[in-house]
Each structure stands twice: as structure tokens, then as C-alpha cells.
Amino acid sequence: MSASPSHVPATQATSHGDHAAADQAAEAAHIAAHLGAYVKVGVGLLVLTGITVGLSYVDFGSRSMNIIVGMIVATIKASMVAAIFMHLKGEKMTIWRFLIMTCIFAMGLFFLTFLAHSDPIMGTSYSTH
Amino acid sequence: MSNLITKYFPFFTDAEVPHTVSARPDTGLYSAKLGIWLFLASEVMLFGGLFSAYIFLRIGAEPGYWPSGLLNVPVGTMNTAILIVSSITVVMAWAALKMRQLGKYKLYMLVTIICGLIFLTVKLSYEWPAKFNHFGVFIRKDAASKYEEFLGNKHLQDAGQNPRWEISGHLLDAPKGSSYSHQAEHNAEHFAHETGRHDAVTPAENDYVIQVDAVNANPSDKENDRPHFWPVPMSTKLAVISAADVESASVFAPRHSTYFATYFLITGLHGLHVLGGILVFLYLWLPFPGGTKLYKTNPEHLANRVEIAGLFWHFVDLVWIFVFPIFYLL
């Protein structure tokens, strides 16, 4: 939520000392305009939660298909939380760079799991309950 | 020495901490913002490791050994909704501070804290304890035919479903010397009180007697092929299982199965995060020097603190968005 100087009405930034106060007022106005969006996203998340529950009782042909559908809805919900509530939409590049690296490392972690599954260490057993 | 402390640990001194409000020129961010995102990146790896363990164990589970429909879906859905509501209120609390509305901030933050407390209370007083009084017996495959009346494997095979090896419910009688004897005695008394039947305790010393779940009472009923939304009440049917036919038997604790091991580990760690979030929110809500008192001297600093704590809280919500379907629904 960075307020760019262009949001400051000219009348408020009369003197040099008023800049900070004017910035704050502009930012407050900017945020006030977003309040409705937060509530809408929240309601959207609640609706999607209901949809997730409902879809889990629909037979998509196989258990795996149900899992894929469930994970797609969960990913949509997670993206809404990250983009709007966590302000990632419009966030500084510095943070995006860190997150892109995190994604790469997390995928590496899941890849290690995949390797362990496809080439298990002989003599160990994880395949029972 | 004191110079070193001032230099490297400025928060121990009265020294001004730089960039709590203003952006650092090189990152374009106030420093705590960068800090929390680095922390959340490490959290992604922490939960990522556990989720990948979940996938590993689930893919590797033999058919019939990964349970579904054991958790209370309405309660889980309610808790999910509570976390989402708290995510809305915490962002509203931050927005209120940005607009310099202290009263609204306090109200929204209070609602957030209450939501967090409800979530934890449901977990600690209902969801987890209910598991510890639910008993499951995995039948040895070579003895499964003896218990077909409770397992219904013929029906499951015809329906193209995974086999069922477990008989679950309330333990009413345990083999002699079992660590569950006390629990069984308690349940048997309750059973006798509810039904007026006293046939739950057998004279045999090597038997488990279980008041079975609905799914084991009618295992060949098509209704039970898929999990239900509303939990189905337990039957009053009793299963007597010889200890010799048992592969493993325990309450629904982490030792029961890889499913419950990952369930308790991941929801437990998530619960600790909820607790941590509540404590931080309480600090920011009460008139501590770093809490609402800060509003008088530097409201923007307090708003930033709330934003940071809020980012953590949204992450906790985000983790739950995945935890809920993978354990409760799928």
C-alpha cells in the first residue's frame, strides 16, 4: 500500500512541512476506498470454502480427480489471501524476488519427495500404515 | 561493550531503530516488512516439508490404509470460516489504524483475538480429545474374512473401492493388561448406562470389544461407500475381536497410523501458530508501550506492527486453507 505522490491533492500539499500529513491523508483515503474490496474477498473466501466442501461429495470419477479439484479451489483461495489480504498485489519487487526464490526452493523440496518415492531406499518400508 | 549492544541490538536500548516507518532507500520497504516476508519464506519451507511428508506417506499407503471421513466436517468448516473472518477483521484493524481510528482498531482486533481463541478452543476441547477416545483395530489380512460382517470387503471389491481393514468405534473391553483397560472400563459403564446392556464385557481375556462406528455396522451399505457431511452416530452393534487377529490397535493418536501422525503434527504446529498470533495480537491490543500506547507517539509505527502481525496471521489462514481439504475432505 504505497501512496504515490500523484495521489496527493494539490491543495493539501501547500507547504513543505505539510507533505507528511498530506501523504498520510492520501494513504488513508486510498485505504478507505479498499475496505469494500477486503470484505468482498472475505465473502468470496467463505463461499469458496462452501464450494470446496460441496465438491468433495461430488464423485469426479476417482479419488485422485477429487484431490486435484480440491487443490485447485484451495490454490485459488490461497492466491486471494496472498494477493489482497497480504497486499502482494502491488507489493515491491524486493519481496516478489524473495518469494520467487522460495517457490523454487519449495518445489525442490517436493522434488526430493518425488525422488524418494520413485527410487526408495531398499530395505526400508514406508508403505504400511 | 555498550556501544556494541547499541549497534547490533538497538531494541534493547532507547536508541532510535531506523526505518520502522520510513522506507529504506535500497529496499523501498520499512525494515519489518522485509523481515516478516523472510520469516514467512522460512515458514513456507517448514510447512512445505511437512506437506511433502504427507504426500509421500499418502501415496505410499497400501490400499485401505489411508482413512477418509474420520473427521467432523461441519466443525472443520466452521473453524475454516472463523479463520477467514479473523483474516478480514485483522486487515480491517490495520486499515482503521491507517485511517487513525483507534476505537475501530480496538474493536476489530478484539474480534480477531476472539476468533483465534474460538478456533483453538474447538481444537483443544473438542476435536483432539474426541480422537483420543476413539479406538481403531486393524485386522490382519489373513484373518479379515472372519470379520467380513464389519469390513464388507466383498461389497467394496464389487464396487471397485479400496478394501477396509479397520474396525473402529468405542473400546468397551480390552485384552488383559492393555494400557487401554481404564478407558474401556469407562466406556463400558457409559454404554451400559445408555443402552441398559451389560453384555459389553466378555469373560475372555484376549478380546477387544468395540461398539462400532456406523461404517462398520453396515459396511456393505452403499451409503457408507463415501464419507458423509454430517457425522453419523455410532451404532450400538458390538464387535468382538480376538487379539490374535489384530495387526495393530490404538486410539486415534499419532501412533495409530501415518494419517493421524501427519494430522496431529500438521494441525498441532498450525495450532501453535494460531496461539503465537493471538499472543502478538493481545500485545498490540493492550496498552503496552509497543501496543496501543504507541498510538499516541507514533500511530504509523503501530499500524506497521499490526500489518506485520496481520501478514503472519494471513499466512496461518493460508496454511489452513490447504490443511482443511487434505485432512477433512479428500
Side-chain angles (χ1 to χ4, degrees):
Chain A
M1 284 294 147
S2 61
S4 69
S6 63
H7 288 145
V8 183
T11 48
Q12 285 189 342
T14 43
S15 77
H16 212 67
D18 285 345
H19 266 305
D23 274 354
Q24 202 278 317
E27 214 183 341
H30 185 68
I31 288 166
H34 271 74
L35 290 183
Y38 292 140
V39 175
K40 273 182 205 154
V41 168
V43 171
L45 287 169
L46 291 172
V47 171
L48 283 174
T49 301
I51 289 175
T52 309
V53 174
L55 286 180
S56 76
Y57 294 100
V58 177
D59 194 344
F60 285 102
S62 70
R63 178 60 70 84
S64 332
M65 207 52 218
N66 273 59
I67 292 173
I68 290 168
V69 170
M71 286 301 103
I72 289 172
V73 181
T75 306
I76 293 170
K77 286 171 72 183
S79 311
M80 285 163 70
V81 171
I84 310 298
F85 286 167
M86 300 175 88
H87 307 144
L88 268 185
K89 194 180 152 202
E91 188 54 275
K92 291 274 186 305
M93 226 15 232
T94 318
I95 284 172
W96 276 101
R97 280 196 200 100
F98 280 121
L99 288 181
I100 290 163
M101 289 313 285
T102 309
C103 282
I104 293 170
F105 280 117
M107 282 194 287
L109 191 66
F110 280 85
F111 183 65
L112 287 179
T113 309
F114 168 72
L115 289 183
H117 176 69
S118 58
D119 185 17
I121 300 165
M122 299 314 279
T124 64
S125 168
Y126 71 93
S127 63
T128 55
H129 60 291
Chain B
M1 185 63 191
S2 67
N3 274 349
L4 281 178
I5 291 176
T6 316
K7 186 173 175 193
Y8 292 107
F9 303 101
F11 38 85
F12 286 150
T13 69
D14 291 337
E16 186 82 3
V17 179
H19 304 298
T20 54
V21 172
S22 63
R24 252 180 82 117
D26 50 357
T27 60
L29 301 158
Y30 65 91
S31 293
K33 182 70 122 4
L34 186 63
I36 191 72
W37 274 109
L38 284 176
F39 174 68
L40 292 183
S42 77
E43 292 271 271
V44 168
M45 296 307 280
L46 174 65
F47 279 101
L50 296 177
F51 280 126
S52 82
Y54 167 93
I55 295 171
F56 184 63
L57 292 168
R58 179 166 185 167
I59 292 175
E62 263 184 82
Y65 282 105
W66 195 271
S68 66
L70 290 187
L71 303 181
N72 190 320
V73 178
V75 169
T77 309
M78 184 194 77
N79 253 354
T80 308
I82 285 170
L83 270 198
I84 291 171
V85 168
S86 76
S87 255
I88 305 172
T89 55
V90 80
V91 83
M92 297 301 262
W94 165 79
L97 270 186
K98 281 292 219 185
M99 296 185 290
R100 305 289 183 264
Q101 299 168 329
L102 186 63
K104 271 194 179 172
Y105 158 71
K106 282 185 179 166
L107 180 67
Y108 280 127
M109 197 49 119
L110 178 65
V111 176
T112 310
I113 292 167
I114 291 172
C115 284
L117 287 174
I118 294 174
F119 180 91
L120 268 193
T121 308
V122 170
K123 276 252 157 301
L124 287 171
S125 70
Y126 172 69
E127 287 202 271
W128 287 330
K131 303 286 166 297
F132 297 139
N133 193 28
H134 215 102
F135 200 83
V137 175
F138 283 102
I139 306 293
R140 285 161 51 123
K141 283 180 191 163
D142 54 11
S145 57
K146 281 199 244 173
Y147 302 94
E148 175 64 15
E149 132 186 45
F150 300 107
L151 300 174
N153 277 329
K154 190 172 177 314
H155 161 75
L156 290 171
Q157 197 177 11
D158 292 345
Q161 302 252 340
N162 280 337
R164 186 179 288 129
W165 306 114
E166 186 182 24
I167 299 174
S168 61
H170 278 166
L171 182 68
L172 303 184
D173 194 14
K176 205 177 175 188
S178 160
S179 56
Y180 297 112
S181 296
H182 186 71
Q183 186 181 79
E185 221 172 281
H186 179 83
N187 286 338
E189 268 173 38
H190 186 74
F191 179 76
H193 183 74
E194 291 281 304
T195 62
R197 283 163 61 183
H198 296 274
D199 56 342
V201 182
T202 62
E205 287 188 346
N206 268 321
D207 285 348
Y208 289 96
V209 178
I210 290 178
Q211 178 191 357
V212 297
D213 285 330
V215 67
N216 289 123
N218 296 302
S220 302
D221 189 341
K222 274 182 112 170
E223 277 287 297
N224 287 327
D225 284 359
R226 293 182 67 80
H228 298 266
F229 177 72
W230 297 106
V232 185
M234 193 172 283
S235 74
T236 53
K237 206 169 165 182
L238 301 181
V240 180
I241 304 157
S242 164
D245 299 333
V246 170
E247 191 173 80
S248 71
S250 90
V251 290
F252 286 179
R255 60 178 292 194
H256 170 270
S257 54
T258 47
Y259 171 82
F260 275 116
T262 47
Y263 165 77
F264 280 107
L265 181 63
I266 293 177
T267 60
L269 186 69
H270 180 267
L272 280 177
H273 279 73
V274 173
L275 179 66
I278 291 171
L279 292 177
V280 172
F281 286 154
L282 271 176
Y283 177 76
L284 295 173
W285 182 67
L286 291 168
F288 285 114
T292 39
K293 257 193 182 172
L294 189 58
Y295 186 78
K296 288 191 195 109
T297 53
N298 196 343
E300 193 63 12
H301 190 184
L302 181 62
N304 284 351
R305 288 189 154 193
V306 171
E307 184 178 18
I308 296 307
L311 281 170
F312 174 77
W313 193 253
H314 296 311
F315 177 79
V316 173
D317 184 20
L318 199 148
V319 169
W320 185 259
I321 284 173
F322 288 99
V323 171
F324 173 60
I326 67 172
F327 284 112
Y328 287 74
L329 301 174
L330 300 171

